[in-house]
Amino acid sequence: MRLRLLLSIAFLACPSIFPAHAFEVAEFKAGMAQVEVKNQLIANWNFDRVLEPSDDVILAYDNDPNVARRYQFRFCKGRLVGFEQDVRPSLRSLIITVNNYNNKYGQPFRVYSNTHVVSNGEKAVFALFWKDGSDTIGVKYIVLPNVEQMSLAFDAQNLCYPTPRL
């Protein structure tokens, strides 16, 4: 009884020690079971392809490049802990998204910028990350020789990989 009372007092006095919420994007919520994401939600979104490149990743996308729909789901011990969604890349989209996140979450806690050589040329990466409780929200912009990519990333704190995930 005393332990329950102490935990209640601790929760009321210091709610930040307990995660208040986890990310929720569209119908996808942190902590969802992997089978639920795959069977119930992805089937309803009518993606052209749903792949499982590993035990802890589901990739859903459309074949038509004009649609620009690609979702990546990352799992830890069968539960959703990471979600990444491609958006149509443009400088305008990047500026609007960063401005919106700055207004909502404050200045980013991490900025990542790097250029390196890959098999088909140079790859430039620019990413910004914000904290929302224990969650990490990110915007990534990647420039490759023949294509640009922009994605929004959401990661819940977990035991399987460190966040933010570059």
Side-chain angles (χ1 to χ4, degrees), residues 44-66:
N44 296 335
W45 284 70
N46 299 316
F47 286 102
D48 291 340
R49 301 280 312 256
V50 176
L51 303 172
E52 294 184 65
S54 67
D55 291 343
D56 59 353
V57 173
I58 295 176
L59 185 62
Y61 63 93
D62 291 315
N63 293 325
D64 183 355
N66 295 319

Side-chain angles (χ1 to χ4, degrees), residues 34-101:
Q34 188 167 351
V35 69
E36 183 182 5
V37 170
K38 183 179 177 189
N39 293 337
Q40 293 178 7
L41 296 178
I42 293 178
N44 296 335
W45 284 70
N46 299 316
F47 286 102
D48 291 340
R49 301 280 312 256
V50 176
L51 303 172
E52 294 184 65
S54 67
D55 291 343
D56 59 353
V57 173
I58 295 176
L59 185 62
Y61 63 93
D62 291 315
N63 293 325
D64 183 355
N66 295 319
V67 175
R69 232 176 26 143
R70 185 191 70 85
Y71 291 176
Q72 181 188 78
F73 303 89
R74 292 182 297 277
F75 300 89
C76 178
K77 301 181 183 192
R79 296 287 174 188
L80 182 62
V81 295
F83 175 79
E84 192 165 325
Q85 172 185 7
D86 280 2
V87 294
R88 201 168 303 283
S90 74
L91 182 58
R92 178 182 169 93
S93 295
L94 179 66
I95 291 169
I96 289 170
T97 303
V98 169
N99 183 57
N100 289 341
Y101 284 173

